[in-house]
Amino acid sequence: MQTTSSILMVRPVSFGFNPETASTNAFQNELQHHSPAEIRQQAIAEFDKFVAILQEKGINVTVINDTEVPAKPDAIFPNNWITLHRNGTIALYPMHAPSRRPERRQDILDTLGQAYQVKKVVDFSQHEEKDKFLEGTGSMILDHDNRIVYACLSPRTDADLLEEFCQHFGYQPIVFHAYDHKGSLVYHTNVMLSIGHRFAILCAAAIQDEADRQFVITTLTRTGHEVIEITPEQLRQYAGNALEVSNKAGQHFLVISEQAYQSLRPDQVQAIQKYAEILAVPINTIEHVGGGSVRCMMAEIFLPEKAQG
């Protein structure tokens, strides 16, 4: 299954602008005329509304509270440090910014282990010592059904480490370079590509090499996905940073930010709605300051549930 009805989210405590990550993330901005406390409160309010929107649709959300010490301004984006797999494996990832490494918390694994079957933990984080990074489903877009992983290389996504992941989990890598509106490498693949069960949202124009671009499009099409192309301007508004989820009733939803939704053309909306109901979430503060959107805030839980007894 490509989609899950269970999501892990981390409720922020110290959310704010992180200058350490801004060096490789062109989407981050400081919010003028707002105090750090006001920014944190706005982010918490947006987070809580997001969780409520998911829960109203029957999606199971495990909410973990961030800890105050050490301060972790990006803890709201857990998909970068953890993936949770159908075979009971949890994978932990090396993070480019030292300030983000404390986001990997054993107590979160312990909490997950109370409700889900955790058979094994694979820890790639030791590669931080070699300055090699692979930031979870920020770096990798996983086509679970076809065992393919798409990744654009950047300071946060190392090709050798990607190959190691693929060998361990049995995926085929498709690697390319993508560039943002400033001509810099796209920092995370999940801002330009989202793969659902029958469709994919792709900013093909970000892949400047024609052969790579056509190979990505052809592979997505061959594996049964309708490719919905977005423009570089829509990429800047997070239209690619979306995630398809489902509920226990089998309904499918595309979770996308309100800003991203408003950037879509009517034909793009119609194409998505053939496959999923669109859930537009207002998270303007989180996007503007944190440089990430809804997909970054959701770590999919594919782990088998423990039997209730």
Side-chain angles (χ1 to χ4, degrees), residues 73-143:
D74 295 306
I76 200 170
F77 303 129
N79 85 307
N80 298 140
W81 66 266
I82 188 170
T83 55
L84 307 117
H85 298 263
R86 202 171 302 281
N87 65 358
T89 300
I90 291 178
L92 306 177
Y93 295 94
M95 305 291 286
H96 182 267
S99 63
R100 296 206 60 188
R101 296 169 191 174
E103 294 174 28
R104 294 187 302 258
R105 290 164 45 195
Q106 181 60 44
D107 65 298
I108 295 180
L109 305 191
D110 294 341
T111 298
L112 290 165
Q114 294 172 13
Y116 298 94
Q117 299 178 40
V118 178
K119 300 177 181 177
K120 185 179 182 182
V121 176
V122 178
D123 191 351
F124 296 105
S125 66
Q126 71 274 11
H127 290 280
E128 289 167 351
E129 300 171 4
K130 306 171 187 174
D131 287 333
K132 290 189 173 186
F133 310 106
L134 186 69
E135 297 193 338
T137 51
S139 294
M140 303 180 292
I141 307 302
L142 302 175
D143 181 344

Side-chain angles (χ1 to χ4, degrees), residues 24-309:
T24 53
N25 182 348
F27 292 77
Q28 288 178 234
N29 301 276
E30 294 194 68
L31 193 58
Q32 303 297 329
H33 312 302
H34 289 75
S35 70
E38 289 172 333
I39 291 170
R40 285 195 297 271
Q41 289 306 310
Q42 288 179 18
I44 291 169
E46 290 174 358
F47 176 92
D48 290 343
K49 185 169 184 178
F50 187 177
V51 171
I53 289 171
L54 293 177
Q55 291 175 334
E56 286 169 7
K57 293 296 184 179
I59 297 156
N60 177 41
V61 185
T62 299
V63 177
I64 303 288
N65 290 314
D66 188 22
T67 53
E68 292 187 7
V69 180
K72 300 177 287 297
D74 295 306
I76 200 170
F77 303 129
N79 85 307
N80 298 140
W81 66 266
I82 188 170
T83 55
L84 307 117
H85 298 263
R86 202 171 302 281
N87 65 358
T89 300
I90 291 178
L92 306 177
Y93 295 94
M95 305 291 286
H96 182 267
S99 63
R100 296 206 60 188
R101 296 169 191 174
E103 294 174 28
R104 294 187 302 258
R105 290 164 45 195
Q106 181 60 44
D107 65 298
I108 295 180
L109 305 191
D110 294 341
T111 298
L112 290 165
Q114 294 172 13
Y116 298 94
Q117 299 178 40
V118 178
K119 300 177 181 177
K120 185 179 182 182
V121 176
V122 178
D123 191 351
F124 296 105
S125 66
Q126 71 274 11
H127 290 280
E128 289 167 351
E129 300 171 4
K130 306 171 187 174
D131 287 333
K132 290 189 173 186
F133 310 106
L134 186 69
E135 297 193 338
T137 51
S139 294
M140 303 180 292
I141 307 302
L142 302 175
D143 181 344
H144 299 287
D145 293 339
N146 297 287
R147 311 303 289 178
I148 297 171
V149 55
Y150 297 81
C152 60
L153 300 182
S154 78
R156 302 191 188 191
T157 304
D158 180 82
D160 293 337
L161 201 44
L162 176 69
E163 183 65 36
E164 185 176 335
F165 169 89
C166 288
Q167 290 179 2
H168 191 97
F169 285 95
Y171 281 78
Q172 171 196 346
I174 293 181
V175 180
F176 50 91
H177 291 92
Y179 297 87
D180 63 23
H181 57 286
K182 295 183 178 179
S184 302
L185 289 170
V186 170
Y187 77 107
H188 274 160
T189 317
N190 73 3
V191 298
M192 60 159 295
L193 174 62
S194 174
I195 298 177
H197 71 302
R198 293 178 58 196
F199 69 97
I201 298 171
L202 171 69
C203 184
I207 308 174
Q208 295 181 359
D209 183 272
E210 183 176 353
D212 285 350
R213 182 170 63 249
Q214 288 304 317
F215 185 61
V216 169
I217 293 171
T218 300
T219 306
L220 288 168
T221 303
R222 176 178 57 79
T223 51
H225 299 93
E226 177 180 349
V227 178
I228 302 167
E229 289 200 33
I230 58 172
T231 66
E233 180 57 32
Q234 289 174 319
L235 182 153
R236 288 180 64 184
Q237 297 177 77
Y238 295 104
N241 195 251
L243 180 68
E244 184 182 7
V245 299
S246 54
N247 62 16
K248 296 291 187 181
Q251 297 172 295
H252 288 257
F253 306 92
L254 182 73
V255 187
I256 193 168
S257 77
E258 194 174 75
Q259 175 189 193
Y261 175 68
Q262 291 172 351
S263 79
L264 296 176
R265 302 187 308 266
D267 62 296
Q268 294 169 320
V269 171
Q270 291 171 5
I272 293 167
Q273 288 177 332
K274 288 190 295 184
Y275 307 106
E277 178 184 338
I278 296 174
L279 299 183
V281 181
I283 55 163
N284 291 342
T285 303
I286 294 169
E287 288 180 321
H288 186 83
V289 176
S293 190
V294 294
R295 200 281 168 261
C296 306
M297 296 170 66
M298 296 181 287
E300 299 151 285
I301 303 175
F302 288 100
L303 297 169
E305 292 183 17
K306 283 187 173 178
Q308 300 298 314

